[in-house]
Amino acid sequence: MDRMLTINIFRYNPQDPASKPHMQSYSIDETESMTLFIALNRIREEQDPSLQFDFCCRAGICGQCAMVINGRPNLACKTKTKDLPDQITLLPLPFFKLIGDLAVDTGTWFREMNTHIESWVHTHKTFDPNAEEERMDNATAEQIYELDRCVECGCCVAACGTARMREDFLGAVALNRIARFILDPRDKREEKDYFDLIGNDQGIFGCMGLLGCEDVCPKNLPLQDQLGFLRRKMGLFALKDLRSGRKHTCTCQGS
Ligand code: SF4
Ligand code: SF4
Ligand code: FES
């Protein structure tokens, strides 16, 4: 390990009226198994304590360290410097509100998204703390678990062309979450309920299907499969519903 890395970092503090957006370069010697998370912490400790970026777990679990790394959204703690050239450019995720430098507020967006799609199991059962756990078929549980691995990092939203054009687009992460509840036998919502949530341009019919989301997802979620599954399911529901004569209310906003 004898490389010197140059890390070019976007700097801007929206809280400081004197601050102007600019790039700042830092040099750092590369060490064995260095991740960008380690490099950024060393820069902050050894060179510039004012540098802002987020992290919590350093293990690809909290989703807090997402940023644009040489043009692609990814997690800083999962990115090894040995896999990058010696010139590295770091930008904050677009789309989300900037807190400062590389730190963005994904939490507010995710809370609003989860509230909007009612991201919880809808059941008519009353909770009984003494009841025995209900078993779920293993194959179904595994399918749900696969989709539940999302760490809400925001990379898929940052890479999404539709999200850049319309702020109210729910994004692949919300659509993946809906697919997870459709699979869940405990959730008693019906097709019509899901259609009312995502059967519009804000949801599945706004997606242009270019799959930037799946390309950048650091957890390798099968987003493409879920988008295809939902597009077919909601499309078929709309057809059936039109034949049955139910009126649809257009929720598009000027598109
Ligand atoms: S496939 Fe759809 S959700 Fe994924 S990045 Fe493209 S427009 Fe966004
Ligand atoms: S689907 Fe993937 S990219 Fe999108 S928020 Fe979840 S983990 Fe991140
Ligand atoms: S620090 Fe938690 S995902 Fe990177």
Side-chain angles (χ1 to χ4, degrees):
M1 284 284 142
D2 52 5
R3 287 201 307 173
M4 279 305 283
L5 304 176
T6 303
I7 308 193
N8 305 300
I9 301 179
F10 176 84
R11 303 298 313 272
Y12 178 49
N13 180 359
Q15 266 57 262
D16 176 2
S19 173
K20 298 262 181 291
H22 64 283
M23 299 299 291
Q24 189 165 348
S25 294
Y26 301 89
S27 293
I28 186 168
D29 56 305
E30 189 174 32
T31 51
E32 188 75 26
S33 301
M34 185 187 240
T35 61
L36 273 180
F37 164 84
I38 294 172
L40 284 169
N41 272 287
R42 271 190 53 203
I43 290 172
R44 185 153 69 182
E45 279 165 23
E46 298 166 13
Q47 302 184 38
D48 188 345
S50 72
L51 183 61
Q52 296 186 68
F53 58 94
D54 283 331
F55 66 90
C56 188
C57 70
R58 72 195 169 103
I61 296 167
C62 73
Q64 288 298 296
C65 66
M67 58 188 69
V68 179
I69 302 165
N70 281 1
R72 287 176 73 86
N74 207 341
L75 299 178
C77 71
K78 290 245 301 176
T79 304
K80 294 246 172 84
T81 55
K82 75 174 173 51
D83 298 325
L84 296 170
D86 58 7
Q87 293 281 333
I88 300 168
T89 300
L90 303 180
L91 301 170
L93 285 189
F95 184 80
F96 299 100
K97 184 178 171 210
L98 183 71
I99 295 172
D101 301 338
L102 299 172
V104 294
D105 176 9
T106 50
T108 301
W109 188 87
F110 273 96
R111 190 168 52 247
E112 284 170 5
M113 179 277 284
N114 280 312
T115 307
H116 178 79
I117 65 165
E118 302 188 1
S119 190
W120 52 85
V121 171
H122 288 53
T123 173
H124 306 303
K125 286 189 182 165
T126 312
F127 176 63
D128 174 3
N130 300 316
E132 268 188 35
E133 260 181 34
E134 282 178 40
R135 286 191 63 83
M136 187 187 286
D137 160 59
N138 276 354
T140 310
E142 292 216 346
Q143 269 182 302
I144 294 172
Y145 176 71
E146 172 71 353
L147 306 189
D148 256 349
R149 293 183 302 108
C150 170
V151 294
E152 298 198 343
C153 63
C155 287
C156 57
V157 183
C160 173
T162 306
R164 302 294 288 279
M165 287 189 293
R166 48 180 307 151
E167 273 185 17
D168 62 350
F169 183 54
L170 289 168
V173 59
L175 296 166
N176 173 69
R177 188 68 49 86
I178 290 285
R180 171 248 178 275
F181 285 110
I182 289 177
L183 284 173
D184 195 323
R186 296 166 302 176
D187 197 306
K188 298 303 173 205
R189 278 179 282 186
E190 295 175 359
E191 274 193 332
K192 174 192 163 306
D193 303 319
Y194 290 118
F195 189 86
D196 288 344
L197 276 179
I198 59 161
N200 48 34
D201 283 355
Q202 187 188 6
I204 192 64
F205 299 127
C207 166
M208 293 188 289
L210 299 176
L211 300 174
C213 49
E214 177 157 322
D215 283 353
V216 300
C217 176
K219 305 305 281 186
N220 298 320
L221 263 81
L223 299 175
Q224 175 177 4
D225 294 349
Q226 307 321 309
L227 295 171
F229 163 67
L230 289 177
R231 197 174 286 115
R232 277 195 305 278
K233 199 168 179 61
M234 294 299 115
L236 282 172
F237 176 80
L239 273 177
K240 266 193 292 180
D241 215 33
L242 273 177
R243 284 195 196 121
S244 74
R246 183 166 88 107
K247 285 206 173 76
H248 288 273
T249 310
C250 178
T251 53
C252 331
Q253 293 175 353
S255 59

